[in-house]
Structures are given as C-alpha cells and as structure tokens.
C-alpha cells in the first residue's frame, strides 16, 4: 500500500476513534487496524488507548498494549493517563516503572497523569517524589504540572502547600480555582473555600456544584439554597450533580416550589430520563415533604430504578408513618428481583417499628442474612431493640443486646431505657442507665436519669453515690435538671 494510502486510512481511523459512536464500535475500529496492518502503529494505538481511557475501557486497552512489542513514549503516556483517570490508579505507577526499565525518559505528558494518580490514591509520599522529578526536569513551567501538584496537595488535605503553588501561578483557569475551593471544603474550611469561590471571575457548573454541596453538608442549607438561586438567575444550566445536591436542601427547608421547579427542569432537560440519581433525589424530596402520591408517581415514571430508588420510597413511607405500605413495597421489590441491601432493611424495619409490626419485624430480621445475604449491622439491631421495646418485649430486647456480635452503643441502651421507663421496668432501666454511664461518662443526663430511678424508690443513699460519682468524673449538672426528679 502506498504511503498516501496508509495516511488516508489513518485519517479515517482517527475520525472513527473520535466520533460520537466510538463506544459501540471499538472492536470494529480495532479490526480495521488489523485489516490494514496498522496494529503496530504507536500513533494510532496511543489514540485508541486514550479513547479507551475516556470510556473506562482500560481492560481492553491493556489487552492491546500487552500484544505490542515496542511501545514508545506516546503509547506509554496514553496508558498511564488512562489508568490515572479510571483506575486502578496503581497501574499508572507500575507502567511508569516498566517504561523507565526500558530506558524511556519521561516528558511532561508522563508526569502530569502520575500526579493525578497519586492524588487519586491520596499518596502524598509518592506524589511528593513525582513533584521533585517535575522540578528536577524543569517541567514546573507547564500549566498541567501546576494543576497536578495543586490537585495532589488538595486531595491529601495539605492546603498550605496547595495554596503556595496556587499563589505562584500567574494564569489560573477555572479548573485550578475549582481544585482549591474543593480542597478547602474537603478539609472543613468552608469559609476559606467560600471566599475563594466569591473571588472567581469565571465559574463552571462544577464550581457551583462544589460550593452548594459543601454548604449543604455543613448544615448551611439557607446559604446553599441562596447560591442555587444565584446560579439559576445567572443562567448557568444545572446538571445532574446540581439537582442531587440541592433537592435534599429543598426538603430540609420545606421549599416545595423550588423542588417542583427542579422537577420540571429535570423533565425538560432530559436529566430525569438519563440519570437514575435525579429520580431518586426527587422521590426522596417529595417523600420528606409529605407528598407521597407524587413520590409514587415519580417512582413509577422512572425509566430505570436501582436499589436506592426503592430505599428512598420505603424510607419515605416509614418517615410519614405509612409502615404497612412500606412493608408491602419491600415485598414488591423482592418480587421484581431487586436485591435489597443494608439500607433497605433499616428502612423496612423502621416501618415495622412505627406500625408496631412485631411479627413481621422478626421475620424480616431473621431473613436478612439467610434469605437475602445481608449481614445485620448495629443499626439493624437498633431497630429490633426499638421494636421489641415499644411492643413491651423487654426481655427479648435485652437478650438481643447481650447476644449481638458487636458491642452495643449508647443508642441501643437508650432505646431499651426508654422502653423500660414506658413499661415500668425499673430494674432493667437501672442496668441500662449504668451501661450508658460507662459509654458516656461525660453525659450529665445519664446520671440524672439514674438518680431519678433511685429517688423514685426512695433509695437516697444511692442518690448520694450518683452525686459523688459525678464529682469524681468531673461531670457538671446542667441547669433545669434535678437529681431527685
């Protein structure tokens, strides 16, 4: 084949590789490589591997790479970058070692993805060594290197180091600003992150999403809501991550009108159709706002559902005191072949607690591991202790706590104590309070409860012992509580 003919085939293959339907045609494109004897072209295969990385198809890329006898730096760089994007991230480091063992010297396109891999691994030591290599080789002048270094330090929560590199940069694009804002938010320094966000001259949807999510997770729901309105008024199109972050905020603040606007936007933009997470967030929003019929409609209309979809609606029914409906929905879930997980059982057991469905709760708890392969955790035992306690089965609740395979926490003993006081079992209540004191020796409320139990039966010597114990443990009684009721 003439050189011009080969170049024409290469151009067509590159066009196919970077076309819209590449995902469905990787094998066909590979077949073209083989048919035209171009499977030894470092240039074409490096493009192929790069596309595999963006499509999360690195297993396929690895198979092809291993068949190539003489990969050059282009192909190594593409493989290293692919693994730095979609993992396993350690593979990037291993490939770099292989590359060096073959005498191939790295360039700036090698080290930038290695910095990203180190950031994804949260490996500060490894990243630090790569940063040193960047400085030794004189690559720090490249913008991709500075971005990689900032991402490394921000991911490892070394914001002073990240800030030093950031401050030295003359040209800062939106990506580097986003990394800094996210880094401060991740470290819990919301104010610093918010201040940087306000200084940004250019913001992407990722900028808005990062700050809205950070404010929401920090308990600053009103500010998150206000920022979303500012984003919307500024004409920035929300994406899936925006809606998933802001809908719980709307539920917390009771902003039903905003939530409905988001629902409409999700429908018109195709986000509801394309992302199951958006449907899940809408089900959760309507459930928490008490609009169960709308939650059911959203659930029914979802093009796809996952276990989170079922969990959101079952939890919503429990939250709204519709436990029997929640149990029925769980049974529908199992019939449809959806596999319940630990969160599902927390929700359906909560349904049993709210409705007092003792026998059903027993059956579900017993079937968790045996039938569904879900090993009960502390929260599941907590639901059962609560269910037994509310039903007056105090001995059964106590026996469950004593025989559970993990150490009970304060919430379990607190649930038992509450049930004991409701049903008048002061002997077991005394035992539960003592366990609470051993777990929370700093909590004055536990001492008050124990003292009240002794006072109710006129055991003043024990009341005095509680006072002494509080003094020994340096526990102060808060105003408004009495040690004798």
């Amino acid at each position: 084949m003439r050189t011009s003919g080969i170049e024409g085939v290469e151009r067509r293959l590159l066009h196919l590789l970077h076309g819209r339907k590449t995902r469905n045609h990787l094998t066909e494109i590979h077949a073209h490589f083989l048919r035209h004897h171009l499977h030894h072209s470092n240039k074409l295969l490096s493009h192929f591997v790069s596309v595999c990385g963006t499509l999360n198809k690195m297993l396929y890329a690895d198979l092809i790479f291993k068949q190539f006898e003489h990969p050059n730096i282009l192909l190594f760089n593409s493989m290293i970058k692919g693994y730095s994007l979609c993992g396993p991230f350690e593979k990037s480091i291993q490939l770099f070692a292989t590359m060096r063992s073959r005498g191939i010297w790295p360039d700036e396109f090698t080290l930038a993805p290695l910095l990203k891999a180190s950031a994804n691994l949260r490996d500060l030591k490894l990243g630090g060594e790569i940063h040193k290599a960047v400085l030794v080789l004189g690559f720090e002048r490249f913008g991709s290197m500075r971005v990689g270094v900032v991402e490394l330090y921000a991911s490892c929560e070394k914001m002073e180091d990240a800030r030093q590199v950031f401050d030295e940069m003359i040209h800062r694009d939106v990506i580097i600003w986003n990394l800094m804002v996210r880094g401060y938010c991740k470290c819990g320094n919301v104010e610093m992150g918010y201040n940087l966000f306000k200084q940004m001259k250019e913001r992407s949807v990722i900028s808005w999403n990062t700050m809205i999510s950070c404010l929401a997770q920090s308990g600053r729901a009103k500010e998150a809501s206000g920022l979303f309105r500012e984003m919307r008024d500024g004409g920035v199109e929300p994406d899936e991550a925006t809606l998933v972050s802001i809908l719980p905020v709307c539920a917390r603040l009771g902003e039903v009108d905003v939530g409905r606007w988001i629902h409409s936007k999700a429908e018109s933009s195709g986000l509801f159709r394309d992302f199951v997470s958006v449907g899940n967030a809408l089900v959760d929003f309507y459930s928490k706002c008490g609009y169960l019929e709308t939650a059911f409609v959203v659930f029914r209309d979802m093009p796809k559902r996952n276990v989170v979809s079922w969990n959101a609606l079952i939890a919503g029914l429990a939250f709204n005191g519709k436990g029997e409906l929640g149990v029925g929905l769980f049974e529908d879930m199992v019939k449809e072949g959806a596999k319940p997980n630990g969160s599902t059982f927390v929700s359906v057991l909560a349904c049993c607690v709210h409705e007092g469905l003792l026998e059903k709760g027993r059956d579900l708890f017993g079937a968790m591991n045996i039938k569904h392969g879900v090993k009960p955790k502390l929260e599941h035992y907590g639901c059962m202790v609560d269910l037994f306690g509310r039903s007056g089965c105090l001995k059964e609740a106590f026996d469950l706590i004593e025989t559970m395979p993990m150490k009970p926490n304060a919430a379990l003993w607190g649930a038992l104590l509450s049930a004991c006081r409701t049903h008048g079992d002061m002997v077991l209540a005394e035992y539960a309070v003592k366990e609470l004191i051993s777990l929370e020796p700093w909590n004055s409320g536990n001492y008050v409860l124990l003292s009240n139990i002794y006072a109710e039966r006129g055991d003043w010597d024990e009341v005095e012992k509680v006072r002494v114990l509080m003094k020994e443990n340096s526990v102060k009684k808060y105003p408004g509580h009495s040690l004798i009721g």
Side-chain angles (χ1 to χ4, degrees):
M1 184 181 292
R2 296 195 308 271
T3 302
S4 59
I6 293 174
E7 289 175 351
V9 173
E10 283 188 347
R11 282 196 299 270
R12 287 197 298 274
L13 288 174
L14 288 172
H15 179 74
L16 284 171
L17 265 176
H18 298 288
R20 291 183 179 180
K21 298 180 180 180
T22 307
R23 178 182 289 275
N24 299 324
H25 297 287
L26 277 177
T27 52
E28 288 90 336
I29 295 169
H30 186 206
H32 278 296
F33 286 2
L34 298 171
R35 188 177 304 123
H36 295 286
H37 306 288
L38 294 170
H39 52 288
H40 294 300
S41 167
N42 270 289
K43 177 184 175 182
L44 279 176
L45 285 184
S46 65
H47 279 276
F48 188 89
V49 166
S50 294
V51 170
C52 286
T54 60
L55 297 176
N56 199 11
K57 298 280 186 180
M58 287 307 294
L59 281 176
Y60 191 15
D62 195 53
L63 287 172
I64 294 172
F65 178 78
K66 285 177 179 176
Q67 294 171 12
F68 200 83
E69 292 183 9
H70 302 292
N72 66 3
I73 191 170
L74 282 175
L75 192 48
F76 268 109
N77 285 351
S78 294
M79 288 293 294
I80 289 169
K81 182 179 179 181
Y83 279 121
S84 76
L85 290 172
C86 52
F89 308 119
E90 294 88 348
K91 282 275 191 178
S92 292
I93 313 303
Q94 293 167 8
L95 279 165
F96 176 63
T98 302
M99 173 180 155
R100 292 293 299 118
S101 70
R102 297 190 183 188
I104 301 174
W105 198 253
D107 61 14
E108 69 271 23
F109 300 107
T110 314
L111 298 183
L114 288 174
L115 284 168
K116 185 169 188 64
S118 302
N120 287 330
L121 290 167
R122 310 290 189 267
D123 192 331
L124 185 61
K125 183 179 179 182
L126 174 64
E129 291 299 317
I130 296 167
H131 188 193
K132 287 179 185 176
V134 169
L135 297 173
V136 168
L137 295 170
F139 292 153
E140 71 273 14
R141 67 185 183 279
F142 293 104
S144 60
M145 292 300 174
R146 291 181 177 267
V147 170
V149 171
V150 169
E151 184 174 13
L152 167 70
Y153 290 130
S155 296
C156 295
E157 300 187 21
K158 295 291 183 179
M159 291 309 299
E160 287 186 10
D161 295 323
R163 187 61 186 256
Q164 183 178 343
V165 178
F166 177 79
D167 287 342
E168 291 172 354
M169 295 178 71
I170 299 172
H171 303 292
R172 305 172 189 147
D173 62 12
V174 69
I175 295 172
I176 203 78
W177 282 90
N178 287 345
L179 287 172
M180 290 297 296
V181 171
R182 186 180 68 188
Y184 278 120
C185 288
K186 182 184 173 186
C187 292
N189 194 338
V190 182
E191 283 306 318
M192 186 64 78
Y194 206 2
N195 286 337
L196 274 181
F197 175 82
K198 291 172 182 176
Q199 294 173 35
M200 293 176 71
K201 294 179 181 179
E202 178 192 355
R203 296 170 184 159
S204 66
V205 68
I206 294 173
S207 317
W208 292 94
N209 290 349
T210 300
M211 205 62 244
I212 289 170
S213 175
C214 177
L215 290 170
Q217 291 172 14
S218 303
R220 297 165 67 167
K222 287 186 178 179
E223 289 174 271
S225 178
L227 202 59
F228 174 70
R229 286 193 179 89
E230 186 182 335
M231 173 187 178
R232 186 179 64 178
D233 294 344
V236 181
E237 281 293 308
D239 63 7
E240 168 251 352
T242 318
L243 304 192
V244 171
S245 293
I246 198 62
L247 278 167
V249 171
C250 295
R252 202 174 308 143
L253 298 175
E255 295 181 338
V256 178
D257 289 342
V258 179
R260 283 177 172 155
W261 181 90
I262 292 170
H263 186 180
S264 175
K265 184 69 176 177
E267 293 274 11
S268 63
S269 64
L271 292 173
F272 177 74
R273 178 190 67 243
D274 296 337
F275 295 98
V276 67
S277 57
V278 173
N280 294 342
L282 284 167
V283 170
D284 181 67
F285 163 74
Y286 283 118
S287 296
K288 285 179 178 173
C289 290
Y291 292 90
L292 290 177
E293 288 186 11
T294 310
F296 265 105
V297 169
V298 173
F299 178 82
R300 183 197 63 207
D301 291 345
M302 290 175 70
K304 292 181 181 178
R305 299 186 197 123
N306 58 18
V307 65
V308 179
S309 318
W310 292 93
N311 292 354
L313 193 51
I314 294 170
L317 291 167
F319 182 78
N320 286 278
K322 304 291 182 182
E324 290 192 8
L325 284 175
V327 172
L329 188 64
F330 171 82
E331 292 169 349
D332 291 341
M333 174 185 181
V334 174
K335 286 176 186 175
E336 290 194 19
K339 186 173 175 59
N341 61 15
S343 296
T344 317
F345 279 100
V346 170
S347 298
V348 74
L349 288 173
C351 287
C352 296
V353 171
H354 292 309
E355 292 287 340
L357 304 174
L358 180 60
E359 292 305 320
K360 189 64 185 178
R362 276 199 188 105
D363 292 343
L364 287 168
F365 186 73
M368 276 183 66
N369 197 12
I370 297 170
K371 186 176 178 180
H372 301 285
V374 179
K375 192 173 181 180
K377 294 183 179 178
L378 199 60
E379 55 264 35
H380 303 110
Y381 283 97
C383 288
M384 291 307 297
V385 168
D386 200 8
L387 178 59
F388 287 142
R390 293 190 187 205
S391 303
C393 303
L394 301 181
K395 185 178 184 306
E396 201 167 351
F398 177 73
D399 289 344
L400 185 63
I401 292 175
E402 290 288 282
T403 57
M404 59 192 282
M406 67 282 291
K407 187 177 179 179
N409 61 8
L412 265 72
W413 289 114
L416 180 62
L417 173 62
S418 178
C420 290
R421 298 184 77 192
T422 299
H423 296 283
D425 190 335
M426 290 299 105
V427 174
L428 195 51
E430 179 184 351
Y431 187 92
V433 175
K434 287 180 177 178
E435 291 293 332
L436 278 170
I437 289 174
S438 70
L439 289 170
E440 301 177 338
W442 43 265
N443 189 339
S444 64
N446 295 329
Y447 296 90
V448 172
L449 288 170
L450 182 60
S451 183
N452 287 346
I453 290 170
Y454 292 140
E456 284 175 17
R457 68 188 190 209
D459 197 339
W460 304 110
D461 289 339
E462 293 297 329
V463 170
E464 185 57 32
K465 288 180 182 178
V466 173
R467 292 181 190 274
V468 172
L469 185 60
M470 288 183 72
K471 189 174 182 179
E472 289 175 351
N473 290 338
S474 301
V475 178
K476 293 183 179 180
K477 181 173 68 70
Y478 290 103
H481 292 283
S482 170
L483 282 176
I484 56 172

